[in-house]
Amino acid sequence: MIFLRTLYSDWKAKNIKRVACLSLPLLCLVNVSCKIKKEQEAPKKPNILWIYLEDTAPLMGSYGTDIVSTPNIDSLASIGTLYGNVYMPAPVCSASRSSIITGVMATTFGAHNHHSSRTKESAIELPDSLKTIPELFKEAGYFTFNNGKDDYNFVYDRTDLYTQDYRLHPLYGKSGVQLDLTTLSDKQPFFGQIQLYGGKEIFNSKFKDNVKNPVDRSKVKLPPYLPNHPAIVEEYANHLDAIQITDEKVGDIIGKLRESGVLENTIVFFFSDHGMRITRNKQFLYDGGLHVPLIIADFTKNEESIPSGNINDKLVSGLDLGTSSLALADISIPAYMEGKNIFDDTEEERKYVISIRDRCDFTIDRIRSVRSKDFKYIRNFLTDRPYTQPTYMDVDSVEFVQVMRKLHADKKLDSIQERFMSNERPAEELYDLRNDPFELNNLANDPDYSTTLKEYANVLDEWIKETDDKGQYPENEEGLKLMLGIWGEHCVNPEYDPLREKYPDLEGSLWNLKSASSELVESNLK
């Protein structure tokens, strides 16, 4: 997570050695697979596989966290390249995933509000000229699949994207039925995604039983914006334990690829959709919500741009994942895509990553950020609302959220921790990331940084204008109706007041959708 930058210079050298030492599990699989005699010549085009996590910070061994055991993930890093400066388009699942799968910011086509386009009335159509990443792979002759959730904020015929049965949920959308990885040998080349729970492993009823070696709670080091309270420490430690469970699943995936005989023709991307669930991280534009791991391992050994045991510090946006995958498959990248090809050394490196936060569930907000390697600029458009306005975690009575509110009420937070819990929110924030990696000292009103503030503010203004950022326009009534119907009295933002008057029986009437069952849809049905 944020610790990476403070540790980066120290662990960069030592972890190349450490990664190599921890690489035995996957390297053994590779060596075994090298001995397998293939009945036919390997396909010329590589398979591309995304191991796609939810809510996961870069807190693995290969990223410098030494109290977790992640041998399989670290092995991927030793085989491939670890990227240290990767930031997502949004700090919440559906907005981030909608951007990644299209290579275009969700705000460009109006899919930026979390869990939008979930009813016919609120449907958001993609422009006719815009094709998703899997559609482009499919057109190029690739077999495509996604084992797990899609979570896209636009309407789509899933058979255009993936070839597999799927399940449909009225709120959480479509998710692919698990395709057996040992059956992939006759489906090459393929572009596949395997969704892992990552940080959401904590919601498994058997979570504690699944943790074989819990991290030592006494060794957990919290960032300074979090108080040293047992509930906060436990939440943070649970995240580390979830990463250890994820590591085992990564090893299992690689094993099945080897078993099916496709590993040696596969390039693996390992990443998360956004950062971890904890105060000031998920749903916010500080690095804790946006900074994710990215490891790309080339088991084909054909890509010079993906050297083994390499650490790359170029600035990468989540938008770049799809476009770079297309490039590896020698598929032309459409001009409308906003992502870059991170493997193209002739292309100018990304100077900024822009990220967005809009409505998350029923909580209406609008925040934008511009990040470089040196500075982070944040603009809060709705300063009448505190950072900590009610969210789904309040509805669910999440313990660490309740603890933070209690500590705030009892005046037991220090000045740094109190800042996020207060009712005041500045219109602009500016952080010197080289000297302030935890984004604690807001320089927006410091005259010494006025030139920098203006530069980044101009970058954002130009981006809003060029892309016609749809977040600047009110969300349509149908999208808000669904939120009011589900979350009822918890919808406290003034945007819901006209709807309450217009639809007096709507509030809370759709709460049952959260626990509704999903329906199986066969892939041959439109």
Side-chain angles (χ1 to χ4, degrees), residues 82-117:
L82 179 151
Y83 290 83
N85 274 314
V86 183
Y87 304 90
M88 283 293 137
V92 68
C93 300
S94 66
S96 181
R97 289 168 178 266
S98 298
S99 301
I100 291 170
I101 208 63
T102 58
V104 178
M105 288 292 285
T107 47
T108 301
F109 54 90
H112 48 288
N113 289 307
H114 186 41
H115 286 165
S116 56
S117 196

Side-chain angles (χ1 to χ4, degrees), residues 295-312:
I295 298 171
I296 304 177
D298 174 25
F299 289 91
T300 74
K301 303 301 179 185
N302 293 328
E303 292 293 334
E304 294 182 358
S305 57
I306 312 175
S308 298
N310 183 49
I311 296 174
N312 189 308

Side-chain angles (χ1 to χ4, degrees), residues 292-347:
V292 300
L294 172 63
I295 298 171
I296 304 177
D298 174 25
F299 289 91
T300 74
K301 303 301 179 185
N302 293 328
E303 292 293 334
E304 294 182 358
S305 57
I306 312 175
S308 298
N310 183 49
I311 296 174
N312 189 308
D313 70 347
K314 71 167 53 177
L315 195 61
V316 176
S317 166
L319 294 176
D320 303 335
L321 299 175
T323 46
S324 300
S325 296
L326 292 172
L328 289 174
D330 199 25
I331 299 173
S332 297
I333 300 171
Y336 59 76
M337 288 193 173
E338 298 167 16
K340 288 180 172 288
N341 174 12
I342 62 175
F343 305 118
D344 187 355
D345 292 333
T346 65
E347 185 176 355

Side-chain angles (χ1 to χ4, degrees), residues 44 63 175 214 217 242 263 329 362 387 483 491:
K44 292 181 180 180
Y63 275 90
S175 59
R217 269 54 179 168
L263 183 62
F362 60 87
Y387 295 110
M483 294 300 108
C491 300

